[in-house]
Structure formats: C-alpha cells, structure tokens
Amino acid sequence: NIEYLIFEKSDCAFKAWIHDRWHNFKINTPHIYSLLPGQKPSMPADSLGHEIVEDIRGWQKVIENLKIKEKMKFNTLVTSVEKNSQDEDFPYKVETQSSSRVNDDKIIYLAKNVIIATGNYEVATLPPFVKDTPQNIKQIMAKQYTTSALEPGNIIVIGGGQTGVQIAENLIENTKDRKIYLCTSAVPGTFRTYRGEDVFFWMDRQGFLHLPKQALDQMPQAQADALRYGHVPLAGSDHPISPFSLHRKGVRLLGRAEGFSKQILNIKSDRIENIKTALSGYQQICDMFTIYAESEIARGKSLQPHDLPEPEWDNPEPELLNDNGPLSIDLDAENITNIIWATGYKPNFDFLHIESALLEFDQRSFRPTDLASSSNPGLFYIGFPWLASAQSTNLVRFEPDANYIVDHLLL
C-alpha cells in the first residue's frame, strides 16, 4: 500500500529499448536472462540473437498485469530533485515539466522517498576532439546507426568495444563496395559458447552473476577496478566476434583515434596492444572455465566435449600482432564520408541538486555506489552497476535490489 508515481520522459514504457538503439541491435544474453520477475519465457531459455521486440512485448505485458502503467506519467521530464527543508514528512521536492510541449508550466511534487532509475547509458561519452571533426563528414551516434542513415562513401567506426565491433561487422556484411575502418580499443575478448552452453550460463554457474560488491574489497586493486570500471567483453549477440574475424571479413583495423588535423585522422600506435588485450582476455576466460569444467568432470558430471578456441579466435593473423598499422588516415584520400561514434555512454545526474548525495558518488565513474544514500534517508538508486552485486545493472538480477528498497519503504 505504498503510494507512488513513475516519471517517464518519453511517451511509452521501454522507449529507449524500442528506439534509442542501432537498427540491428539484439540482446546479448540468452532469453532466460532477459525476463522481468514474473515474466513467462516466450522461447527456449538458451535462445540467442532474437529480435528485441520479442522481449519488449513480454516486458510490456508484465507492467500491464501489475497495473504499473497506471502509475506512470509519460512525457514528463524531471528537471530537479532537491531537499525540501519546509516539511520533514516530505523531505524531497521533485520539479517536472513536459518533455513534449514547449513552455508548459513546471509542476512540483513533494515526496517522502525518491528512487532514481535513469539508467547507466543516458548521454554519449565523446572524445574532446569530436569538435574538430571535418564539416563534410556525416557523424552518427552508435544508437542512431542505420545503414540508411549513411552517406555514400566509406565509413570509420571510432570505438572498439562491444558495440563498435558489432556495428563494424554489421557494416561489412550489409554494405557493398565500401571500405569499413574500425579504431580499436583495449577491450578483452570472451568466448560465446563453451561445451554447448552460452558464456552466461557458465558465469552464473561459477557465481560471477551473484558476486556481491563487498567481494571487490578482497581483490587486488587492478582486478577490482577491471570489474568495476572495465568494458563489456567483445562478443556478438549470438556468435563470437574477434579482431581476427573482423579482419578476415574485410574490416580495416586501426589503433585508437587520437584527433584530427584538418582532414587527417591521427591514429595511436596501439593496434598491437589493443588486439593482444582482446586475445589475452579471451585466453584467460577460456582457461578459467576450462579449469572449472575439468573439476566438474572429476566429480562425475557429464559435459560436452571441449570446443575452444572458437574459429573466430583461432589462428590469429601474425600481422595483427606485430604491426600497428597506419598512424594516420586521410579522410579525403580514402573517401571516408561517415564516422560512427561508438565511444560509450554514461549516466546523467544534472537534475540531482543535492550536494551531499553527489559527494557519495564514485568520483571516477560519477555514479552511485549504494542502493541508498547514507546521508539522505529516503533517497535510493536502482539499475546502476555494483550497487549491491555484479548484476545490479542486469535486467534479470535486479529483483533483490528492488526488494531491498521496498523493504526500507515499508519500515
């Protein structure tokens, strides 16, 4: 019996999943890891690479059945959350305005509790040199990428994380007579399938999906930082992707982009380092799960035969491991007319006007580190990494975090 409202800046639930994504985007997790609490599977549990619309239909049905939609105020932008010193029963003041109509009056709500669930991918993280991009180049943000948005000519994808490699692969497979360049990043690789099962099942079985955040404090700093701040490993939605598989398909791999000198894109001499980081990460995770699988077999468990490395990672090309490639690209000479920025996203807390709450944030990632603010009773967060565990930001694992918040609201 808790009275509540949900403010949503768009005109429907799950709008970001429906529209703010590149056109061939598919969820990377098996179907069973993409279900809301209480949602029934609509396909086999281990299904991969399905269209996201299948998941969205299930999510929408859940909120309709729970009558959550009735509590949602759509087209409502929260412009400010601040302390309300004039009423101790309602210590928070939430200011909103219409996100669809210009010059609408602002509406202020007083609240006993506020839960911030704005997501970890609100605004694009762009390098400072983006301002120097030549004016004749068509710039496309990763989530806005469609093949129909491209200008005639060649394409460079800047950002070699999971999104960047997936887009580069999609481009090389779906555009004809174009050169595709990818500026790589230092991101580890991972297998997609091992002994007939997806990597997520292996991670779950070994407890990685349940790892409490306190476990980070027991790790060496470098290992803890890699988990807390590291990139999502390189993989496709239903198959492996590696620098080597992209190279074999025709993608031209480069080092990290450093900046523009008029029509010249300067490239860092780190292609070897980035590719070795991907390969080393792949080998480490393969070794780790091989050891685990062999211990399971020793205890009498029956498993499918060993099948690593996958073809995409096998027999790496020596030239990629010994040559940093070109250190500059002449955009005009190479007829590059499109840049796709796949350099990541970050949360946005411009609306949060409570200094003591902001001071609690992790100052490297500038995001909350706990489900509840320690200095502001009644202020909560959900859906951000490592609030309680490794999967605080994962759809299927947020239920314990939600239960924690509800238990505190009921006190």
Side-chain angles (χ1 to χ4, degrees):
N1 296 321
I2 301 173
E3 289 295 320
Y4 68 93
L5 290 173
I6 300 173
F7 298 122
E8 170 55 52
K9 68 180 178 181
S10 65
D11 58 3
C12 67
F14 310 114
K15 181 70 173 283
W17 289 95
I18 298 169
H19 295 291
D20 291 347
R21 57 184 177 84
W22 55 282
H23 71 130
N24 278 344
F25 174 83
K26 297 175 182 177
I27 288 185
N28 280 358
T29 52
H31 181 57
I32 196 67
Y33 292 99
S34 304
L35 302 177
L36 289 172
Q39 181 182 348
K40 295 181 180 179
S42 61
M43 61 187 75
D46 60 353
S47 296
L48 284 169
H50 53 278
E51 294 294 334
I52 193 173
V53 67
E54 297 293 331
D55 293 292
I56 293 171
R57 289 194 189 104
W59 303 342
Q60 289 172 332
K61 190 172 182 178
V62 168
I63 67 170
E64 288 170 6
N65 290 343
L66 294 175
K67 302 188 183 305
I68 293 173
K69 203 170 182 179
E70 300 170 7
K71 297 289 188 176
M72 300 184 76
K73 298 185 78 67
F74 295 108
N75 296 310
T76 301
L77 178 67
V78 173
T79 55
S80 173
V81 174
E82 57 187 75
K83 295 299 285 286
N84 176 31
S85 59
Q86 300 182 5
D87 189 341
E88 62 181 16
D89 291 328
F90 297 95
Y92 296 101
K93 183 165 64 173
V94 180
E95 182 181 274
T96 70
Q97 67 180 43
S98 171
S99 57
S100 60
R101 295 189 299 271
V102 180
N103 298 325
D104 265 21
D105 290 337
K106 294 183 177 181
I107 300 175
I108 294 176
Y109 296 84
L110 301 182
K112 183 177 181 180
N113 303 282
V114 172
I115 303 170
I116 296 176
T118 47
N120 201 44
Y121 304 99
E122 274 289 284
V123 293
T125 303
L126 294 168
F129 63 81
V130 67
K131 68 182 185 303
D132 301 321
T133 306
Q135 293 187 353
N136 64 316
I137 299 295
K138 174 74 175 287
Q139 299 184 68
I140 303 171
M141 298 298 111
K143 67 180 182 180
Q144 298 166 339
Y145 157 65
T146 65
T147 51
S148 62
L150 297 168
E151 294 291 326
N154 298 325
I155 307 148
I156 186 164
V157 179
I158 297 182
Q162 190 176 98
T163 296
V165 299
Q166 289 183 3
I167 289 177
E169 183 183 67
N170 183 263
L171 284 165
I172 203 69
E173 292 178 349
N174 292 284
T175 58
K176 294 182 179 180
D177 303 320
R178 294 185 192 244
K179 294 178 182 177
I180 310 301
Y181 297 81
L182 172 65
C183 289
T184 57
S185 306
V187 181
T190 182
F191 64 86
R192 184 77 253 191
T193 304
Y194 175 49
R195 295 182 184 269
E197 291 187 293
D198 186 75
V199 62
F200 265 84
F201 291 107
W202 287 100
M203 291 175 65
D204 198 356
R205 197 172 292 134
Q206 274 203 266
F208 288 108
L209 301 190
H210 314 276
L211 196 67
K213 71 173 183 179
Q214 291 80 3
L216 298 178
D217 298 331
Q218 312 303 319
M219 297 178 183
Q221 190 64 47
Q223 184 181 359
D225 285 352
L227 289 171
R228 187 180 281 117
Y229 307 116
H231 298 278
V232 177
L234 304 182
S237 60
D238 59 357
H239 64 282
I241 297 179
S242 76
F244 315 109
S245 65
L246 293 176
H247 173 75
R248 292 163 198 160
K249 290 182 177 184
V251 176
R252 297 161 189 246
L253 302 178
L254 306 169
R256 189 187 301 267
E258 284 198 303
F260 294 100
S261 300
K262 295 185 178 180
Q263 293 297 122
I264 303 297
L265 176 63
N266 298 311
I267 306 296
K268 191 175 181 181
S269 59
D270 63 353
R271 186 176 77 170
I272 294 173
E273 177 186 343
N274 294 340
I275 291 175
K276 284 186 175 181
T277 295
L279 182 59
S280 174
Y282 180 82
Q283 291 169 335
Q284 287 175 20
I285 195 169
C286 290
D287 291 344
M288 179 176 63
F289 285 106
T290 296
I291 292 170
Y292 173 75
E294 289 174 349
S295 69
E296 291 288 279
I297 292 171
R299 285 195 290 267
K301 185 166 185 178
S302 178
L303 296 175
Q304 292 189 31
H306 187 288
D307 51 4
L308 296 176
E310 295 154 308
E312 289 82 356
W313 290 91
D314 202 11
N315 297 317
E317 282 76 2
E319 65 181 275
L320 296 180
L321 298 173
N322 295 289
D323 184 353
N324 275 316
L327 301 184
S328 64
I329 296 290
D330 186 323
L331 302 181
D332 285 344
E334 296 298 325
N335 191 29
I336 293 172
T337 55
N338 304 273
I339 288 178
I340 299 175
W341 295 100
T343 45
Y345 288 83
K346 62 184 179 181
N348 180 15
F349 294 99
D350 288 350
F351 61 89
L352 183 57
H353 299 160
I354 303 174
E355 187 67 22
S356 57
L358 297 174
L359 288 173
E360 296 171 355
F361 282 17
D362 179 282
Q363 295 307 300
R364 176 170 167 181
S365 62
F366 200 68
R367 62 191 183 209
T369 59
D370 291 288
L371 290 165
S373 169
S374 59
S375 59
N376 298 279
L379 178 60
F380 301 94
Y381 310 94
I382 194 167
F384 300 97
W386 292 103
L387 293 176
S389 73
Q391 287 300 289
S392 286
T393 191
N394 184 277
L395 187 68
V396 78
R397 299 292 179 182
F398 77 92
E399 188 174 10
D401 292 11
N403 290 340
Y404 172 92
I405 293 174
V406 171
D407 287 345
H408 278 69
L409 297 180
L410 292 173
L411 291 177

